[in-house]
């Protein structure tokens, strides 16, 4: 469907070119709108570890935000950004000195960053167990697993358990290495921001195009990346999130295939599907998740009228 006479689209859209365009090329377009902004370069001081007094002050915040981040990470399409915002707001709400937030309070930094880091591991839960990416980052990871012939889901833990242990081991080693690199190489990594844009952007663009082309050595993938780069820019420009697009692209084929199988099981009587207890439960959760912002907004308006 929707080949438009181009047989290179017979197998559908490849994940890699779409994600390269949505996340990499769109970012370049967004940055191009900020050419006239003056960036002040600040001196980079040596990295310092928190003192024991800081640890005593933030240990409750770290535990709270870690739990929040893990839970938010498990929810599909939420990601670390939402977890950081909630972690920060909860740290401020529980703090004895909320007036210090926004002025470099260590609790605010710990609350946001602990939730951010915890959401990374939490997002792997739906990715590995259900094959549903929990964030934009895990969407890219899911694509990598699919490219290498691994199909995340319940069967992955029974048929390819060795691969699961390898992934968990890699995550453990990566966190340990990240601690060392983040501690001793933070100043070096931060200097990437000092690279002139006239040098950095062409390099990023070249690698993005090369990554899109290298998957199948087809120019159509480059064109797809460019088109979705523009689409991603428009999404960012008008305030739409990119992660749901990536999730829809990945899950679209799975949804269609499973819907066809379900219709065969029920002899084409589709109304029998939502009558199943488990299906009805998840459909109700989906409806509540979609309508949650409207319900909260209506509740706040009603509460505000009650106070008046």
């Amino acid at each position: 469907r929707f080949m438009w006479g181009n047989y290179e689209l017979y197998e559908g859209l490849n994940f890699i070119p779409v994600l390269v365009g949505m996340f990499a090329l769109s970012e370049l377009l967004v940055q191009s709108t900020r050419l006239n902004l003056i960036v002040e370069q600040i001196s980079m001081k040596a990295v310092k570890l928190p003192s024991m007094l800081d640890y005593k002050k933030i240990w409750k915040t770290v535990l709270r935000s870690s739990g929040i981040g893990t839970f938010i990470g498990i929810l599909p399409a939420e990601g670390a950004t939402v977890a950081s915002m909630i972690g920060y707001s909860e740290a401020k709400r529980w703090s004895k000195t909320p007036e210090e937030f926004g002025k470099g309070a260590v609790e605010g930094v710990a609350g946001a960053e602990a939730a951010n880091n915890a959401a990374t591991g939490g997002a792997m839960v739906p990715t590995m167990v259900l094959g549903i990416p929990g964030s934009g980052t895990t969407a890219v990871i899911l694509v990598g697993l699919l490219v290498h012939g691994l199909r995340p889901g319940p069967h992955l833990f029974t048929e390819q358990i060795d691969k699961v242990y390898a992934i968990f081991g890699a995550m453990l080693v990566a966190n340990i290495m990240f601690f060392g690199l983040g501690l001793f190489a933070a100043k070096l990594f931060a200097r990437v921001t000092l690279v002139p844009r006239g040098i950095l952007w062409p390099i990023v663009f070249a690698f993005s195009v090369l990554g899109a082309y290298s998957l199948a050595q087809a120019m159509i993938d480059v064109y797809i990346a460019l088109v979705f780069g523009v689409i991603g820019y428009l999404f960012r420009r008008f305030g739409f999130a990119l992660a749901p697009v990536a999730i829809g692209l990945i899950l679209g084929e799975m949804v269609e295939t499973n819907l066809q199988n379900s219709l065969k099981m029920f002899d084409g009587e589709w109304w029998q599907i939502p009558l199943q207890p488990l299906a009805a439960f998840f459909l109700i959760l989906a409806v509540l998740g979609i309508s949650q912002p409207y319900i909260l907004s209506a509740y706040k308006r009603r509460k505000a009228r009650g106070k008046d």
Side-chain angles (χ1 to χ4, degrees), residues 72-80 119 122-124 126-127 132-139 243 247:
I72 296 297
I74 293 174
L75 300 177
E78 297 295 339
M124 290 296 292
T127 304
I132 301 174
S135 64
T137 305
T138 51
I247 293 174

Side-chain angles (χ1 to χ4, degrees), residues 35-85:
L35 288 174
N36 296 326
L37 293 180
I38 300 175
V39 180
E40 181 182 357
Q41 295 182 1
I42 59 175
S43 59
M44 299 181 185
K45 299 180 180 180
V47 177
K48 290 179 60 178
L49 285 174
S51 63
M52 290 302 299
L53 183 61
D54 291 330
Y55 282 119
K56 289 180 180 179
K57 190 175 182 180
I58 65 174
W59 70 271
K60 293 182 180 179
T61 302
V62 171
L63 290 178
R64 185 190 311 112
S65 293
S66 296
I68 292 172
T70 302
F71 177 74
I72 296 297
I74 293 174
L75 300 177
E78 297 295 339
T81 303
V82 176
S84 298
M85 295 172 62

Side-chain angles (χ1 to χ4, degrees), residues 103-120:
K103 302 177 182 179
V106 66
E107 291 175 276
V109 177
E113 290 304 315
N116 176 38
N117 294 335
T120 305

Side-chain angles (χ1 to χ4, degrees), residues 191-222:
R191 292 188 181 277
V192 174
T193 60
L194 303 180
V195 177
R197 294 177 179 178
I199 298 175
L200 181 62
W201 288 3
I203 294 175
V204 174
F205 179 79
F207 276 110
S208 299
V209 172
L210 182 62
Y213 176 79
S214 62
L215 181 65
Q217 289 81 45
M219 282 301 298
I220 187 66
D221 289 337
V222 177

Side-chain angles (χ1 to χ4, degrees), residues 5-258:
N6 192 330
Y7 287 96
E8 291 179 308
L9 296 176
Y10 183 78
E11 296 294 333
L13 298 178
N14 289 322
F15 299 130
I16 298 298
V18 173
L19 296 183
V20 166
M22 292 286 290
F23 290 97
L25 298 182
S26 67
E27 179 64 25
L28 293 178
L29 293 174
V30 170
Q31 292 294 329
S32 67
T33 63
R34 303 171 182 171
L35 288 174
N36 296 326
L37 293 180
I38 300 175
V39 180
E40 181 182 357
Q41 295 182 1
I42 59 175
S43 59
M44 299 181 185
K45 299 180 180 180
V47 177
K48 290 179 60 178
L49 285 174
S51 63
M52 290 302 299
L53 183 61
D54 291 330
Y55 282 119
K56 289 180 180 179
K57 190 175 182 180
I58 65 174
W59 70 271
K60 293 182 180 179
T61 302
V62 171
L63 290 178
R64 185 190 311 112
S65 293
S66 296
I68 292 172
T70 302
F71 177 74
I72 296 297
I74 293 174
L75 300 177
E78 297 295 339
T81 303
V82 176
S84 298
M85 295 172 62
I86 296 178
Y88 180 86
S89 63
E90 287 300 308
K92 184 177 182 179
R93 188 163 70 91
W94 288 90
S95 176
K96 297 179 180 179
T97 56
E99 66 278 359
E100 295 182 3
F101 280 65
K103 302 177 182 179
V106 66
E107 291 175 276
V109 177
E113 290 304 315
N116 176 38
N117 294 335
T120 305
M124 290 296 292
V125 174
T127 304
M128 300 294 295
V129 176
L130 302 175
I132 301 174
S135 64
T137 305
T138 51
V140 178
I141 295 175
L142 180 59
V143 171
L145 296 176
L146 294 175
V147 168
H148 288 283
L150 297 177
R151 191 152 187 110
H155 296 295
L156 182 65
F157 290 82
T158 57
E159 299 174 358
Q160 296 177 304
I161 190 65
D162 55 328
K163 302 293 192 305
V164 175
Y165 284 131
I167 293 172
F168 289 164
M171 292 180 64
L172 177 61
V173 173
N175 277 278
I176 296 173
M177 294 181 64
F178 183 76
F179 173 77
L181 290 174
L183 182 61
F184 297 106
K187 285 182 63 177
L188 178 62
F189 295 153
R191 292 188 181 277
V192 174
T193 60
L194 303 180
V195 177
R197 294 177 179 178
I199 298 175
L200 181 62
W201 288 3
I203 294 175
V204 174
F205 179 79
F207 276 110
S208 299
V209 172
L210 182 62
Y213 176 79
S214 62
L215 181 65
Q217 289 81 45
M219 282 301 298
I220 187 66
D221 289 337
V222 177
Y223 301 143
I224 291 173
L226 294 175
V227 169
F228 275 91
V230 176
I231 294 175
Y233 166 74
L234 294 176
F235 268 57
R236 291 172 184 245
R237 177 70 176 80
F238 294 101
F240 293 95
L242 298 181
V245 179
I247 293 174
L249 178 68
I250 295 169
L251 298 183
E253 182 181 355
M254 300 182 191
V255 170
E256 183 177 4
T257 301
N258 288 306

